[in-house]
Amino acid sequence: MADIRTVNESISVAPQITPEDVAAIKAAGFVAIVNNRPDEEEAGQPAGEAIRAAAEAAGLGYAAIPVTHAGFSHPQIDAMTDVLVHADGPVLAYCRSGTRSCNLWALAAAKAGRNPELLVNQARAAGYDLSAMRPTLDALAGAQ
């Protein structure tokens, strides 16, 4: 099973998962999976559609919000917000290492008006460093 890191009660992040991981993800109490990894980013990675099929078969929600090296966009941030707002329980987001998933969650939370200092601290406790994103988090949170 993947290295799942809890960020807060609503979101956890992980490196690449497989369709075989989905049953354990459901058993761990997650209600939805967010795929932040583009297909074919790396040779041999499981296809998003295979994970979607496993998630849906297990009764979990699934959303694909791929983030490439081009960075993050407002539509991606808004899509992540939509998943988190409509999930009736904890969400697991994954990418290659978990970093993009954590970053996208933080951007969505900041845009929703959450305190950037809290976001940085929650990410740090999960093993992710958002210090380089802090000015963007501050700007997004201040735009409310």
Side-chain angles (χ1 to χ4, degrees):
M1 170 88 153
D3 172 27
I4 296 176
R5 298 183 186 190
T6 301
V7 178
N8 65 32
E9 67 282 349
S10 300
I11 183 86
S12 294
V13 298
Q16 179 69 57
I17 63 170
T18 67
E20 294 76 27
D21 292 329
V22 172
I25 290 166
K26 180 175 180 155
F30 293 98
V31 301
I33 295 171
V34 176
N35 176 359
N36 295 132
R37 192 165 193 203
D39 277 341
E40 300 179 15
E41 182 178 56
E42 184 174 70
Q45 90 185 50
E49 281 305 311
I51 296 170
R52 173 192 298 276
E56 290 175 353
L60 297 176
Y62 177 91
I65 310 170
V67 176
T68 66
H69 297 294
F72 302 93
S73 68
H74 281 280
Q76 290 166 319
I77 295 168
D78 295 341
M80 185 65 143
T81 299
D82 188 58
V83 170
L84 293 169
V85 165
H86 292 100
D88 188 24
V91 173
L92 176 68
Y94 76 91
C95 59
R96 188 186 63 75
S97 68
T99 301
R100 280 176 280 181
S101 294
C102 186
N103 291 352
L104 184 57
W105 156 78
L107 292 166
K111 189 172 179 181
R114 301 262 322 270
N115 181 319
E117 186 66 25
L118 173 65
L119 303 177
V120 168
N121 289 336
Q122 288 178 325
R124 183 180 304 116
Y128 297 95
D129 180 6
L130 299 182
S131 59
M133 293 180 63
R134 182 60 191 265
T136 303
L137 297 174
D138 288 337
L140 284 170
Q144 296 305 307

